[in-house]
Amino acid sequence: QVRLVESGGGLVQAGGSLTLSCVASGSFFSINTMGWYHQAPGKQPELVATITSTGTTNYADSVKGRFTISRDNTKNTVSLEMNSLKPEDTDVYYCYAGIRVTARELRGYWGSGTQVTVSS
């Protein structure tokens, strides 16, 4: 069974930094795109950043220049370094991974989320 487990959320003052991490475990062939999304109560998940298996990144406009996504393919991990945090960054952040569970089957998996709270 594939699992994504996040860590690193918490409370920080505006202007501060946090780093989120996510590790994929279980049995699978490979991991395609990994990323981070945030979701406010009652709303759909919104993109924060993604990274492909070859390192191509994509960021939401609101976080460009402040957040950096990276991954370690040898450890099946993805991280999100969050700098210059703003109160509007407050949300639950979810790890996502597109995982090839068999040679022919690609599935999307989500972590359970980690709370990021930025105080003003």
Side-chain angles (χ1 to χ4, degrees):
Q1 184 178 2
V2 176
R3 292 183 63 204
L4 299 180
V5 178
E6 301 114 331
S7 61
L11 173 64
V12 65
Q13 289 188 334
S17 299
L18 283 175
T19 297
L20 307 183
S21 296
C22 173
V23 58
S25 63
S27 178
F28 48 84
F29 274 26
S30 63
I31 303 176
N32 286 17
T33 297
M34 303 184 81
W36 293 92
Y37 290 74
H38 68 93
Q39 184 176 25
K43 294 188 176 182
Q44 293 294 316
E46 294 183 357
L47 169 74
V48 178
T50 60
I51 184 168
T52 68
S53 59
T54 55
T56 299
T57 58
N58 181 45
Y59 294 93
D61 289 342
S62 60
V63 307
K64 286 180 180 177
R66 299 189 299 123
F67 292 8
T68 302
I69 190 170
S70 61
R71 66 188 282 174
D72 185 334
N73 292 331
T74 66
K75 297 180 179 179
N76 298 326
T77 60
V78 61
S79 297
L80 184 70
E81 181 181 348
M82 310 165 71
N83 298 314
S84 303
L85 282 160
K86 305 174 182 180
E88 51 264 44
D89 294 320
T90 295
D91 221 333
V92 180
Y93 285 73
Y94 294 88
C95 175
Y96 169 84
I99 294 181
R100 190 164 295 281
V101 294
T102 68
R104 293 186 174 185
E105 187 175 7
L106 181 66
R107 294 183 186 175
Y109 289 87
W110 294 89
S112 59
T114 185
Q115 176 70 47
V116 171
T117 302
V118 184
S119 63
S120 57

